[in-house]
C-alpha cells in the first residue's frame, strides 16, 4: 500500500502511507500520540509534530506542522 498526499503553505510537505504507517516526505516516520498529533521521529526526541485538520469527504484538507498551517493541494 502506497499513497501520497501533498500539503502546501510556504514550501510543501508530502504525507505518504507506506506499510500502514504515515511518513513525511517519504523519509520521516510519524509516530501517533494520544492527543491526535503525530510526532516526527527522524530524531528520537524531536518535539516537532503534525496534526490533520478539517476533513471533507473523509479526507483531511489541512495540516498543522508544529504550528504552521498547510492546505491540501
Amino acid at each position: 500500500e502506497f499513497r501520497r498526499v501533498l500539503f502546501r503553505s510556504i514550501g510543501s510537505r508530502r504525507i505518504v502511507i507506506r506499510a500502514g504507517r504515515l511518513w513525511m516526505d517519504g523519509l520521516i516516520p510519524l509516530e501517533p500520540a494520544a492527543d491526535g498529533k503525530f510526532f516526527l521521529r527522524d530524531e528520537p526526541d524531536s518535539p516537532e509534530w503534525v496534526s490533520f485538520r478539517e476533513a471533507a469527504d473523509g479526507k483531511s484538507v489541512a495540516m498543522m506542522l508544529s504550528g504552521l498551517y498547510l492546505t491540501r493541494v
Side-chain angles (χ1 to χ4, degrees):
E1 173 187 353
F2 183 80
R3 284 188 292 157
R4 267 191 265 193
V5 178
L6 178 65
F7 289 89
R8 182 167 285 166
S9 178
I10 298 171
S12 62
R13 294 288 182 231
R14 292 184 192 279
I15 300 299
V16 177
I17 299 171
R18 186 174 60 207
R21 290 192 66 185
L22 294 178
W23 298 74
M24 180 174 288
D25 298 327
L27 303 171
I28 302 169
L30 301 180
E31 179 182 292
D35 62 0
K37 292 180 181 174
F38 292 81
F39 286 97
L40 282 65
R41 288 301 178 227
D42 52 335
E43 298 175 13
D45 296 321
S46 174
E48 301 295 322
W49 56 270
V50 169
S51 67
F52 299 98
R53 308 284 175 97
E54 293 132 30
D57 294 326
K59 298 177 182 177
S60 178
V61 296
M63 178 177 88
M64 292 292 289
L65 173 59
S66 295
L68 177 65
Y69 186 82
L70 298 100
T71 56
R72 186 176 182 154
V73 178

